[in-house]
Amino acid sequence: RHPLATFFHLFFRVSAIITYLLCDWFSNSFVACFVTILLLLSFDFWSVKNVTGRLLVGLRWWNQIDEDGKSHWVFEAKRVPTIAASTEAEARIFWLGLIICPVIWTVFLFSTLFSLKLKWLALVIAGISLQTANLYGYIHCKLGRQKSTSRVTS
Amino acid sequence: FAGLADVSISEDIPVEGEITVPVGSHSPDEDFSTLDEPVRDTILRDLKAVGKKFVHVMYPKKSSALLRDWDLWGPLVLCVSLALMLQGGSADSKDDGGPQFAEVFVVIWFGAVVITLNSKLLGGTISFFQSLCVLGYCVLPLTVAMLVCRLVLLAGAGTVSFIVRLIVVVAMFGWSTLASTAFLADSQPPNRKALVVYPIFLFYFVISWMILTFTPQ
């Protein structure tokens, strides 16, 4: 039902990983690769947080600051999820993409540390934090919904 | 509908109904309208928010826009452009100033994190990301200074250009520090303001130093 959203969900994450692996082929310049991967990671973070989450699985999370300056993290889930075959497939793609990519970036972290290519360290850490933040946010949304349905049915 | 004109309810019929309270997190209706909005609206809304914040940095009054709806896009864009303009300028750049680029990044983000932790430990009421947002957006005057410095250096690198650059950088440094303290110092108890302002001063001083000592190869 949302082929474009599914495509973009995977496109930015996978392009960031591929660019990181093949950066020596694309260009000699460290700076160009760094900026490209950083921009891809940022676009991925924004699109997964704001667009693909609510379109593919009906979940959303954000931070809001109220009048007296306290910050609240809000995790929201669509009340009546529609169970259709296409939404099942999309949800599976969503969660697979969400989980596999931070794992790959963690592998990159260790490879950077052990091969001492420390100039990439900042980028790998940025990648891990952005993708893990989305993963954590959506897991929190999903667990929140399961908690509230169990309260209704108990 | 002529027959409905004389419909009336006699007073001894009890009016009854059912009040159901939805269980679980109750979200107001506006949230569901943005849950289903088209993507272009989301993009435009976020872009407008970022643009408004840039304007607020240039005219720092005590408004809550920078504080309430924080975002880190502006700091990312400013950091990347500042790092791009600052590279290729130091004596030991071998290939293309790669390490210097990552250094600028680390200085800005790590410095901002340290200042935020400092202000939180001193008992500030501002949240972590709000503080990062303000510090990041207030790098805008220094980015403008960097742009001006690069243009001045295109014309020549003598004493006159150094004086011009010095004046521009000092002015922008003052603007950055004033803008960020206008937003951040309010959230501290009054006897701690100097303790909070000093690291911010140091942070922008280091960035201004990097800008002023930049010489193209």
Side-chain angles (χ1 to χ4, degrees), chain A residues 22-97:
Chain A
L22 298 179
C23 59
D24 289 327
W25 281 11
F26 288 144
S27 118
N28 282 335
S29 156
F30 167 77
V31 172
C33 288
F34 190 101
V35 173
T36 313
I37 299 178
L38 192 64
L39 287 178
L40 284 171
L41 286 171
S42 316
F43 291 153
D44 161 70
F45 177 80
W46 183 88
S47 59
V48 170
K49 178 173 179 297
N50 288 310
V51 177
T52 61
R54 63 179 166 89
L55 287 181
L56 294 181
V57 287
L59 301 172
R60 190 169 56 162
W61 60 279
W62 72 90
N63 173 279
Q64 110 192 349
I65 317 254
D66 57 7
E67 261 88 45
D68 42 334
K70 291 174 43 107
S71 88
H72 300 279
W73 291 96
V74 184
F75 302 95
E76 189 187 20
K78 216 178 218 180
R79 207 71 72 78
V80 184
T82 50
I83 313 286
S86 60
T87 26
E88 283 281 321
E90 287 176 346
R92 203 170 312 135
I93 295 180
F94 177 82
W95 289 107
L96 277 180

Side-chain angles (χ1 to χ4, degrees), chain B residues 101-115:
Chain B
F101 184 85
E103 266 168 27
V104 173
F105 247 89
V106 166
V107 161
I108 292 185
W109 288 100
F110 187 67
V113 167
V114 165
I115 294 179

Side-chain angles (χ1 to χ4, degrees), chain A residues 15 37 75 134 142:
Chain A
S15 318
I37 299 178
F75 302 95
N134 257 328
K142 198 159 171 66

